[in-house]
Amino acid sequence: MQPQYDLIVVGGGVLGTFHAYHALEIGLKVALIEKDSTPQGATVCNFGQVVPSGMNSKWQLFGREGLRIYKEIQQQFDISVRQEGSVYFASNPEEEQLLEELHQINRDNDYPSILMTKSKCLDSYPGLQKDYVASGLFFPEEILLEPRIMINRLHKYLKASGLVLFANCTVIDCIALSNGIEVQCSNTKSLSAAKVIICNGTDFKTLYPELFNESNLVVSKLQMMQTRPQPSYKLPSSVLTGRSIRTYGAFQECPSYTGFKSRGEFNSTDNKWGVQIIFKQAMDGSVILGESQQSVDVSKINTLGTDLNMDVDDFILQEAKNIIDLPTYEIQRRWYGLYSHCKTDDVYQATIDDNIHVVTGIGRKGLTGSAGFAKANIYHIFNLRHV
């Protein structure tokens, strides 16, 4: 018998969904399988920022392609995309120099960015503390979205384009046949496809526990929180701060970065939790704050626990108040997300029996990089010329 589908994608998060999207775009018959009624993992446990500006030169290209794709879909179907841009605020001369160098790099790469003086930053961002900000770098092309809204609306959009979606369906086995792959689900459903792509994060340990344990994956637990809606307050764009400048891949490609790092300018004895201070205003006027990062090898994933560390949240709040004086810092929601990423590779990939492809470990690049990366990967898997 011929397989029912050209491709089955396991995992309905952003990475899996965009693999399905690009497979549909080239005319394939595609099914997407999601174990929950709606995705619950890293795709929905994040800020909702698409920021190619923070990525190294390789991944910025994927991110920029992702921006184009998000905006193109938004023109046809509302998936909550808002083009409000992103800004990085420098707090000292070293961070200022990196902003200037990144601005030049992006000029050379034809990616728009705008340097902002201290006075321009203070005039543009209500509540910004003058004792913190030294200058800014604004990226006007970048977007915000609401993660939970986006992924569900994207599924709805793709279903109208021919995607077959199976929700509340846990895959328990993939069996290689002479003419394709049989996918067995816990609800006794059995499906078949010419190829299978597995993008279900650390959950791929259920299917391939030995492969999972032998992988070079690291799992990070990130804490975030959300204020109550801000009365009569508008944050003009998402805001990233000095701690992001010190750690993001884009800045590590700046000429001065290595020297600053080697001389200890970026060492921070108060940052044992890997905190970055990021602000993003949601559609309801609330502001999402974060984030911390605690990382362990996949073999120790259970040691991360399910508790929220209130010392971490208190530190984030203290640092945030030193940067922007919001009308209210009353918190209405706190949560954490788990993200898998590789120690040595950009993404974890493994091929089993030629036609089963595990693709995971995209880490914090997921929301920004998945759309562009998935396009290239679909073309690679199906041996097509990538135009």
Side-chain angles (χ1 to χ4, degrees):
M1 294 179 62
Q2 286 296 109
Q4 298 165 278
Y5 301 97
D6 298 308
L7 174 66
I8 290 175
V9 180
V10 180
V14 65
L15 183 58
T17 299
F18 274 114
H19 275 85
Y21 169 85
H22 291 297
L24 287 168
E25 286 283 288
I26 60 174
L28 300 183
K29 187 177 182 182
V30 184
L32 179 64
I33 302 177
E34 166 57 41
K35 68 180 178 63
D36 296 306
S37 59
T38 184
Q40 301 295 313
T43 291
V44 299
C45 296
N46 62 72
F47 281 89
Q49 300 170 303
V50 180
V51 283
S53 57
M55 293 180 156
N56 64 29
S57 53
K58 173 184 175 181
W59 277 87
Q60 189 189 93
L61 293 177
F62 288 137
R64 290 167 66 173
E65 176 67 2
L67 280 178
R68 184 193 67 78
I69 291 166
Y70 278 119
K71 293 174 185 178
E72 184 177 89
I73 295 171
Q74 179 66 27
Q75 290 178 348
Q76 302 172 57
F77 192 88
D78 182 10
I79 57 170
S80 79
V81 168
R82 295 174 283 148
Q83 185 176 331
E84 297 184 0
S86 307
V87 69
Y88 295 79
F89 289 138
S91 64
N92 58 41
E94 291 79 20
E95 293 167 4
E96 277 196 280
Q97 183 167 340
L98 291 179
L99 289 189
E100 292 171 4
E101 291 175 359
L102 186 63
H103 175 60
Q104 184 59 53
I105 289 171
N106 282 290
R107 287 182 66 180
D108 295 341
N109 293 339
D110 197 29
Y111 188 54
S113 64
I114 302 167
L115 283 169
M116 302 175 66
T117 63
K118 175 172 182 168
S119 60
K120 178 65 174 177
C121 293
L122 291 169
D123 289 343
S124 302
Y125 288 82
L128 180 60
Q129 302 281 26
K130 64 180 181 180
D131 291 339
Y132 178 84
V133 66
S135 64
L137 184 61
F138 179 66
F139 290 85
E141 295 296 318
E142 298 187 339
I143 61 174
L144 308 178
L145 49 80
E146 306 303 300
R148 292 181 183 275
I149 294 173
M150 183 280 294
I151 195 63
N152 289 297
R153 289 186 181 175
L154 183 56
H155 287 170
K156 186 176 181 180
Y157 170 73
L158 294 184
K159 285 169 68 178
S161 302
L163 178 71
V164 180
L165 176 63
F166 296 96
N168 292 309
C169 185
T170 300
V171 175
I172 58 174
D173 203 1
C174 294
I175 302 169
L177 306 175
S178 60
N179 63 337
I181 307 297
E182 180 183 348
V183 176
Q184 296 182 343
C185 302
S186 58
N187 58 3
T188 72
K189 185 183 293 293
S190 180
L191 305 170
S192 61
K195 293 182 180 291
V196 173
I197 299 177
I198 298 170
C199 298
N200 59 351
T202 55
D203 283 344
F204 91 86
K205 65 184 177 183
T206 303
L207 290 171
Y208 303 104
E210 290 185 6
L211 193 64
F212 177 77
N213 288 328
E214 293 169 359
S215 71
N216 64 347
L217 286 171
V218 173
V219 179
S220 294
K221 179 180 180 181
L222 278 63
Q223 286 188 202
M224 289 155 275
M225 66 191 92
Q226 186 172 14
T227 71
R228 295 198 178 280
Q230 301 290 328
S232 303
Y233 179 85
K234 173 61 179 175
L235 194 62
S237 71
S238 64
V239 172
L240 303 101
T241 60
R243 293 181 186 272
S244 298
I245 295 171
R246 298 177 220 173
T247 56
Y248 275 18
F251 294 97
Q252 293 175 23
E253 294 185 338
C254 291
S256 298
Y257 183 88
T258 301
F260 291 152
K261 193 77 172 176
S262 64
R263 294 198 300 272
E265 270 87 348
F266 295 158
N267 294 343
S268 180
T269 57
D270 66 350
N271 199 16
K272 60 183 177 181
W273 297 298
V275 167
Q276 295 185 51
I277 306 300
I278 301 171
F279 302 78
K280 180 250 179 164
Q281 192 161 32
M283 292 174 67
D284 68 354
S286 62
V287 172
I288 299 172
L289 303 168
E291 61 189 1
S292 64
Q293 180 168 324
Q294 178 187 1
S295 301
V296 298
D297 289 345
V298 290
S299 60
K300 299 178 180 178
I301 187 172
N302 291 334
T303 65
L304 290 173
T306 59
D307 295 333
L308 293 172
N309 186 333
M310 289 300 100
D311 289 338
V312 171
D313 279 10
D314 289 344
F315 180 76
I316 291 172
L317 285 171
Q318 176 185 331
E319 291 291 298
K321 290 174 182 178
N322 291 333
I323 299 171
I324 298 179
D325 182 20
L326 296 175
T328 179
Y329 270 97
E330 185 179 356
I331 301 302
Q332 66 172 335
R333 191 164 73 95
R334 305 172 191 264
W335 72 95
Y336 71 86
L338 293 180
Y339 302 76
S340 61
H341 52 100
C342 293
K343 292 180 182 177
T344 55
D345 300 306
D346 293 337
V347 180
Y348 177 83
Q349 298 187 80
T351 299
I352 303 159
D353 295 320
D354 294 331
N355 291 315
I356 302 172
H357 304 273
V358 178
V359 186
T360 188
I362 196 170
R364 296 166 70 188
K365 304 184 293 294
L367 202 62
T368 299
S370 287
F373 170 78
K375 181 178 181 178
N377 202 37
I378 283 291
Y379 277 68
H380 171 72
I381 288 172
F382 285 91
N383 296 311
L384 299 172
R385 184 179 177 184
H386 189 186
V387 180

